Amino acid sequence: MASRPFLWRTRADGTREVSWRLWVLIWVLPGLMTGAGTAMLVIEAYRHLATLPTQAEVVQVHAWEGETIFDKDVTNYGPVFAYEWTDGTITRASSGMSSPDFDFAIGSLHEIRYFKGHKGNVVLPGWHNWLPGLIVGALGLVLTLPATWITLLVRRWRGQMTIAGAPRT
């Protein structure tokens, strides 16, 4: 019986055991969410530090209707910018993102950030770049509250701790 997988059990002698599998189940989601949120923020910080700022002119705006349940009946816009690249040539690029807020007028100037080493998507600065990492990280931190509570309950069941001076059983 000792070699069979378990989450928690009480042996014949009354010893209570908790498997490592239970700890993984309790902490995997908060850990992954917090780690993923942190990684997303680190990637965004790298994108901010590794790009150069410049002014770009909007030369074209693509528009299409939303197709998901989140953006149904909403028009999304994807602007194309013309800007001077590091070698002095004028190049065009988009941010690779779309939003109802990106309905920029043709000919308007906006700050963008571009990667010095290659011509590709540009970064349109703003809170929208940081928000996904903040949300995922915050969800991870919020999920640590029930994980901590469950950990305390499991440790109390094992008899490793007492709560408010109650005797161990």
Side-chain angles (χ1 to χ4, degrees):
M1 179 172 147
S3 65
R4 293 176 56 195
F6 66 96
L7 294 177
W8 64 84
R9 68 179 174 196
T10 304
R11 292 178 148 191
D13 64 358
T15 305
R16 293 178 174 173
E17 295 179 331
V18 177
S19 170
W20 62 269
R21 293 171 185 86
L22 182 65
W23 300 119
V24 169
L25 288 174
I26 292 171
W27 286 101
V28 72
L29 189 59
L32 286 176
M33 295 284 281
T34 304
T38 303
M40 292 168 75
L41 291 173
V42 167
I43 289 169
E44 190 53 44
Y46 166 76
R47 282 182 8 143
H48 184 75
L49 294 172
T51 55
L52 301 172
T54 189
Q55 288 289 319
E57 179 183 358
V58 177
V59 292
Q60 187 177 6
V61 177
H62 298 283
W64 57 91
E65 295 300 318
E67 298 174 353
T68 68
I69 59 171
F70 301 108
D71 64 355
K72 191 175 183 176
D73 300 327
V74 173
T75 303
N76 292 306
Y77 301 96
V80 177
F81 300 97
Y83 64 98
E84 186 176 335
W85 203 56
T86 52
D87 64 2
T89 60
I90 301 295
T91 187
R92 291 177 159 205
S94 73
S95 66
M97 298 171 42
S98 64
S99 170
D101 299 331
F102 294 165
D103 186 16
F104 301 142
I106 303 288
S108 62
L109 293 176
H110 297 273
E111 181 184 340
I112 62 166
R113 300 184 70 87
Y114 67 97
F115 287 94
K116 183 179 178 181
H118 61 59
K119 294 180 181 179
N121 287 349
V122 297
V123 177
L124 194 57
W127 61 271
H128 57 272
N129 296 318
W130 300 90
L131 193 60
L134 290 172
I135 290 172
V136 172
L139 285 173
L141 291 176
V142 166
L143 289 172
T144 60
L145 295 175
T148 302
W149 181 69
I150 292 170
T151 297
L152 293 174
L153 290 176
V154 169
R155 290 190 63 185
R156 182 175 181 215
W157 176 81
R158 273 184 71 189
Q160 286 186 328
M161 62 180 289
T162 60
I163 296 177
R168 293 184 182 200
T169 56

